[in-house]
Amino acid sequence: LAKTTQPISMDSYEGQEVNITCSHNNIATNDYITWYQQFPSQGPRFIIQGYKTKVTNEVASLFIPADRKSSTLSLPRVSLSDTAVYYCLVGRDGGSTLGRLYFGRGTQLTVWP
Amino acid sequence: EAGVAQSPRYKIIEKRQSVAFWCNPISGHATLYWYQQILGQGPKLLIQFQNNGVVDDSQLPKDRFSAERLKGVDSTLKIQPAKLEDSAVYLCASSLVLAGGPGDTQYFGPGTRLTVL
């Protein structure tokens, strides 16, 4: 079961870069790593997905080392509106072809002015 | 592009009553998910449909919860009878492909907040 471990909370200030690391020691060969963001009273929103090395989009970067046992979500120059819960998900349940995703508790990121 | 629609947004019932939630996924999305999110926790998958067939309902409390997806589009989730511990936000999501693989972005609706008294 490819569950994940991530910090419960993090604090940052506006304009800083934030890195949230997720541990997934039991990741399977065909698992992808996906990050979601959730604001209060809203459903989660897809941020980024990757398989290995580095992925970048207009919102964030995702760094995945060669052993893929961890990943780091990088948010450049955060603003107050980035205050949210961030979830790291790994794609498969024990190698099943069914794509069950475990959200875990996520990381509460609080950005201060 | 219209997002995932859910109704109602809020519902308050007494224990042992019944309640139903409705979800309309993004047009063309074959996969539909229902999640339960208890305050302070991440979403927990209850059931997953591929078109109108169930592909995973292993975490659905089948003695009281039921869900259907007629014609492979809209879906309803029902709780009968409700218990106090069912108080949560019920999220519906849809995606083009099965979750976990490449390009599996799930799009979530705003959720229905259920309070059981």
Side-chain angles (χ1 to χ4, degrees), chain A residues 36 38 49 92 99-101 104, chain B residues 37 42 55-56 58 99 103-104 106:
Chain A
Y36 282 80
Q38 187 175 28
Q49 183 184 70
R92 292 285 189 262
R100 185 191 304 174
L101 295 177
Chain B
Q37 186 170 26
V55 294
D56 185 358
S58 57
D104 75 336
Q106 292 188 55

Side-chain angles (χ1 to χ4, degrees), chain A residues 11-49:
Chain A
D11 290 291
S12 182
Y13 292 97
E14 282 191 294
Q16 290 189 334
E17 179 184 70
V18 171
N19 295 308
I20 306 174
T21 296
C22 178
S23 172
H24 29 79
N25 291 318
N26 296 324
I27 190 168
T29 303
N30 59 349
D31 282 345
Y32 278 70
I33 300 155
T34 312
W35 286 79
Y36 282 80
Q37 173 193 57
Q38 187 175 28
F39 297 112
S41 300
Q42 295 185 23
R45 182 176 73 107
F46 173 90
I47 302 177
I48 197 166
Q49 183 184 70

Side-chain angles (χ1 to χ4, degrees), chain B residues 19-21 45 51 54 58 63 68-69 71 88 93-94 96-97 101 114 117:
Chain B
V19 65
F21 313 124
L45 181 68
N51 296 310
V54 175
S58 57
D63 58 334
E68 60 180 5
R69 189 183 185 195
K71 301 180 181 178
S94 70
L96 275 173
V97 299
L114 173 67
L117 303 175

Side-chain angles (χ1 to χ4, degrees), chain B:
Chain B
E1 174 182 89
V4 176
Q6 289 188 248
S7 67
R9 290 296 312 275
Y10 305 91
K11 190 73 177 179
I12 300 174
I13 61 173
E14 295 188 349
K15 59 182 180 183
R16 291 188 290 274
Q17 286 188 323
S18 301
V19 65
F21 313 124
W22 173 82
C23 172
N24 179 242
I26 292 174
S27 177
H29 281 195
T31 310
L32 185 146
Y33 315 79
W34 282 101
Y35 289 87
Q36 179 193 59
Q37 186 170 26
I38 294 173
L39 186 64
Q41 300 182 18
K44 170 190 168 184
L45 181 68
L46 293 176
I47 189 168
Q48 178 178 333
F49 293 93
Q50 181 75 3
N51 296 310
N52 62 345
V54 175
V55 294
D56 185 358
D57 63 356
S58 57
Q59 299 189 104
L60 186 73
K62 298 180 186 63
D63 58 334
R64 298 184 300 107
F65 286 65
S66 65
E68 60 180 5
R69 189 183 185 195
L70 299 176
K71 301 180 181 178
V73 182
D74 292 5
S75 177
T76 56
L77 176 69
K78 297 179 182 178
I79 307 175
Q80 180 180 8
K83 293 185 175 182
L84 296 177
E85 57 262 36
D86 298 331
S87 293
V89 175
Y90 290 85
L91 295 161
C92 178
S94 70
S95 65
L96 275 173
V97 299
L98 279 175
D104 75 336
T105 303
Q106 292 188 55
Y107 296 86
F108 285 80
T112 296
R113 182 176 298 277
L114 173 67
T115 301
V116 182
L117 303 175

